[in-house]
Amino acid sequence: MTETLGSTGEFGLIAAVTKGLSQSEDVLVGPGDDAAVLAVPDGRMVITTDLLVEGRHFRRDWSSAYDVGRKAAAQNLADVVAMGARPTALVVGFGGPADLPTAWALELNQGLVDECELVGASIVGGDTVQSDKIVVSVTAFGSLDGRAPVLRSGARPGDEVAYIGRLGWAEAGWTVLARGFRSPRAVVEAHRRPQPPYADGPRAALRGASSMCDVSDGLLADLGHVAEASQVVIDVHTKALTVPEPLQAVAAATGADALKFVLTGGEDHALVGTFEPADVPEGWTVIGSVAEGNEERPPGTVTVDGAPYAAETGHAHFRS
Amino acid sequence: MTETLGSTGEFGLIAAVTKGLSQSEDVLVGPGDDAAVLAVPDGRMVITTDLLVEGRHFRRDWSSAYDVGRKAAAQNLADVVAMGARPTALVVGFGGPADLPTAWALELNQGLVDECELVGASIVGGDTVQSDKIVVSVTAFGSLDGRAPVLRSGARPGDEVAYIGRLGWAEAGWTVLARGFRSPRAVVEAHRRPQPPYADGPRAALRGASSMCDVSDGLLADLGHVAEASQVVIDVHTKALTVPEPLQAVAAATGADALKFVLTGGEDHALVGTFEPADVPEGWTVIGSVAEGNEERPPGTVTVDGAPYAAETGHAHFRS
């Protein structure tokens, strides 16, 4: 008989999950008490949280449990590095139905553990509950190691806009999966497991990034947040953006606009930042510029090649 | 037309929720960026997380949105004080259906805010997503202000067991609600809004509590966690436990065992701790003793008046 959450029970699942966890020296009290205790030598803690719901953020027929774990950790760790911080730990809330195979929950956990290992973070606590649909909440923590946090509000007129990581791949993967296809494999894999450029967040902070955020809603939407918070105008230069071959293939096969994947696709968790022209770090691609607002283009505006962008700029949760 | 999450949208909801938040001086970066930044002058951060799911942890016909907010915050803040820490902040993940009135989400938020205000904690970030059933994840943080954390593993033979707060009230409330009644009002209110004795956690730590935890699963179940972690035997003396009148009334009306409410009812978030006899703080009730294990009663055992307790000792999530 397959073991399920119902037969394993809450405490059985917690025991199985925590058995395999390794804890860094920053973990003063790990899982198993009312709360964890984490050393915060910097005196400041970076905190971010995300909630993933089955059917909305992942589908069990599209992604393995392991993939869901990787992605749930990745999207939170990406938020931490987008502040210029080094991820240190996370806590996880997990809800699933009583008939879910226990193996599914353990594979999810392994995905979380393996993604954390990429950055040296520990899983320090969690909660498990019963729920009709699978729900995963992740809260991630990071250390600034003495640096100032890089906010969305620091972009200045004259800065260049640059990004590092992937743009549009996850959206292209979603597009083919939604039509019942499983290829091109590269974009399907990108949808299942984002690959945020973790090390580049703290590096950009050291290089003096004036603003930074991770691209979770889509490039134009997230630059909109930067433009709004910084009260500037941002222009994106499409000639600086290359459209990778797999995205072109998806666009050709589905009648989609390949450039739109790049401009509006979310969930790849690239990093986009603003820098003084001399400060753009190696490996980043300059794709735009920051200017002051004026009457025609008020602060908070994002333009594409100098003009407003016609289509929707990114995800809109809650709207159907 | 009633505004709903679908018409308000994710960003509209976030804007409405964050507008009313006040932030303590410990909040270096509040809601609105990729992550929040919290000052941690103690150099150690206490962290706990809980996931609440509609239908499992609350019902919209039994509890108002405001009540759910109070309870979601309370159960996490109680975990923080059970470590002997002072709650400082929390982050919230919220999922709800597109047709949920926006007012429901705002009332939930007000409940979270008001419960936090009792202890001086700030809401520093969150996430909102679409979900068929309402889901609330809360991660709470606390400062030890230089004290050692009070763990479950510190109980020593010779210690006395004492508690402060309510035992069995929420379970009695659940019992009458499950039968379609709304009274006695005191126990129904206790089910809707626990009243953890927040200030007594740090006070007990200062008085030298050797172990402590919050009673979320039920007194015997949670003492079982302490006995197991401390590798001791704990005996509960029922003559020291009073059964409050409303619990007796519910037991009489429903054929339940009133003492069982007290011994196994969870979700009141009382605090139970172990102390050297001279150290039991004012206001706490001594209800048991700690002894070494032996062959007959191995470490980890909890007895009631010297004998095993026959019925289930507390909540068992996942099992139906």
Side-chain angles (χ1 to χ4, degrees):
Chain A
M1 207 184 89
T2 308
E3 233 187 307
T4 63
L5 295 191
S7 59
T8 304
E10 181 191 9
F11 295 117
L13 180 60
I14 291 172
V17 160
T18 51
K19 208 174 54 182
L21 295 182
S22 66
Q23 306 285 328
S24 78
E25 57 188 12
D26 284 341
V27 183
L28 305 177
V29 177
D33 218 295
D34 290 287
V37 183
L38 190 65
V40 186
D42 175 88
R44 297 166 304 163
M45 177 83 114
V46 171
I47 304 168
T48 182
T49 193
D50 269 323
L51 193 56
L52 283 83
V53 178
E54 179 180 7
R56 179 79 193 171
H57 299 95
F58 62 88
R59 285 174 50 162
R60 272 192 265 171
D61 55 339
W62 287 7
S63 297
S64 69
Y66 181 78
D67 289 337
V68 175
R70 294 289 295 253
K71 187 169 184 163
Q75 68 184 57
N76 280 278
L77 298 172
D79 277 329
V80 170
V81 302
M83 301 295 284
R86 175 180 55 85
T88 54
L90 50 81
V91 295
V92 181
F94 174 73
D99 63 0
L100 185 75
T102 303
W104 201 96
L106 297 178
E107 281 158 27
L108 170 92
N109 184 63
Q110 195 57 50
L112 291 162
V113 166
D114 287 356
E115 193 72 19
C116 282
E117 200 172 291
L118 295 179
V119 295
S122 310
I123 298 178
V124 299
D127 186 30
T128 63
V129 303
Q130 189 171 316
S131 164
D132 292 345
K133 291 209 172 174
I134 296 173
V135 181
V136 185
S137 80
V138 174
T139 306
F141 309 102
S143 173
L144 289 159
D145 298 332
R147 296 181 296 275
V150 183
L151 306 182
R152 296 177 175 187
S153 54
R156 292 162 301 211
D159 281 350
E160 289 186 333
V161 178
Y163 86 100
I164 190 163
R166 288 169 156 185
L167 294 173
W169 290 64
E171 183 77 8
W174 185 89
T175 302
V176 300
L177 284 165
R179 291 175 188 227
F181 300 109
R182 304 269 160 166
S183 69
R185 190 150 184 85
V187 297
V188 170
E189 281 302 313
H191 166 80
R192 289 174 177 153
R193 281 190 215 172
Q195 298 181 13
Y198 293 121
D200 293 297
R203 268 185 216 145
L206 282 171
R207 281 296 293 265
S210 57
S211 77
M212 184 157 54
C213 75
D214 94 307
V215 181
S216 52
D217 293 333
L219 179 65
L220 297 183
D222 286 309
L223 284 177
H225 303 149
V226 172
E228 182 66 37
S230 302
Q231 285 294 292
V232 294
V233 170
I234 289 178
D235 187 45
V236 174
H237 313 150
T238 57
K239 70 172 190 297
L241 286 165
T242 52
V243 181
E245 195 282 323
L247 277 61
Q248 294 183 28
V250 174
T254 62
D257 175 354
L259 185 62
K260 185 166 186 286
F261 288 143
V262 174
L263 291 173
T264 68
E267 304 208 328
D268 287 300
H269 303 286
L271 292 170
V272 63
T274 54
F275 302 87
E276 287 190 23
D279 291 344
V280 178
E282 208 180 330
W284 291 61
T285 305
V286 174
I287 54 164
S289 53
V290 180
E292 280 184 45
N294 54 38
E295 235 171 72
E296 196 191 344
R297 293 197 180 124
T301 304
V302 175
T303 54
V304 177
D305 299 329
Y309 188 69
E312 268 198 64
T313 54
H315 284 290
H317 298 295
F318 289 138
R319 299 184 203 266
S320 3
Chain B
M1 207 184 88
T2 307
E3 234 188 305
T4 64
L5 294 192
S7 58
T8 304
E10 182 190 8
F11 295 117
L13 180 60
I14 292 172
V17 160
T18 51
K19 208 175 52 183
L21 296 182
S22 66
Q23 306 285 329
S24 79
E25 59 188 12
D26 284 342
V27 183
L28 305 176
V29 177
D33 218 296
D34 290 287
V37 183
L38 191 65
V40 186
D42 175 88
R44 297 165 305 164
M45 176 83 114
V46 171
I47 304 168
T48 184
T49 192
D50 269 322
L51 193 56
L52 283 84
V53 178
E54 180 181 6
R56 179 80 192 170
H57 299 94
F58 61 89
R59 285 173 51 162
R60 272 191 265 171
D61 55 339
W62 287 7
S63 297
S64 70
Y66 181 79
D67 289 337
V68 175
R70 293 288 295 252
K71 187 169 185 164
Q75 68 183 57
N76 280 279
L77 299 171
D79 277 328
V80 170
V81 302
M83 301 295 283
R86 175 180 54 86
T88 54
L90 49 80
V91 294
V92 181
F94 175 74
D99 64 359
L100 185 75
T102 303
W104 201 96
L106 297 179
E107 281 158 26
L108 171 92
N109 183 64
Q110 194 58 50
L112 290 161
V113 167
D114 287 357
E115 193 72 20
C116 281
E117 199 171 291
L118 294 178
V119 295
S122 311
I123 299 178
V124 298
D127 186 30
T128 63
V129 302
Q130 188 170 317
S131 165
D132 292 345
K133 291 209 173 176
I134 297 173
V135 182
V136 185
S137 79
V138 175
T139 306
F141 310 102
S143 172
L144 289 159
D145 298 331
R147 294 181 296 275
V150 183
L151 306 182
R152 296 177 175 186
S153 54
R156 290 162 304 209
D159 281 350
E160 289 186 332
V161 178
Y163 86 99
I164 191 162
R166 286 169 157 186
L167 294 173
W169 289 64
E171 183 78 9
W174 184 90
T175 302
V176 299
L177 283 165
R179 292 174 187 227
F181 299 108
R182 304 268 160 168
S183 67
R185 192 153 182 84
V187 296
V188 169
E189 281 302 313
H191 166 80
R192 290 175 176 152
R193 282 189 215 171
Q195 298 181 11
Y198 293 121
D200 293 297
R203 268 185 216 147
L206 283 172
R207 280 296 293 265
S210 56
S211 78
M212 184 157 55
C213 75
D214 95 306
V215 182
S216 52
D217 293 334
L219 179 64
L220 297 183
D222 286 309
L223 284 176
H225 303 149
V226 172
E228 183 66 36
S230 302
Q231 286 295 291
V232 294
V233 170
I234 289 178
D235 187 45
V236 174
H237 313 149
T238 57
K239 69 173 190 298
L241 286 165
T242 51
V243 181
E245 195 283 323
L247 277 62
Q248 294 184 29
V250 174
T254 62
D257 175 354
L259 185 62
K260 186 166 184 286
F261 287 143
V262 174
L263 291 173
T264 69
E267 304 209 329
D268 287 300
H269 303 286
L271 291 170
V272 63
T274 55
F275 302 86
E276 287 190 22
D279 291 344
V280 178
E282 208 182 329
W284 292 62
T285 305
V286 174
I287 55 164
S289 53
V290 181
E292 280 184 44
N294 55 37
E295 236 172 70
E296 196 191 343
R297 294 201 178 121
T301 305
V302 175
T303 54
V304 177
D305 299 329
Y309 188 70
E312 267 198 64
T313 56
H315 285 289
H317 299 294
F318 288 138
R319 300 183 202 268
S320 4

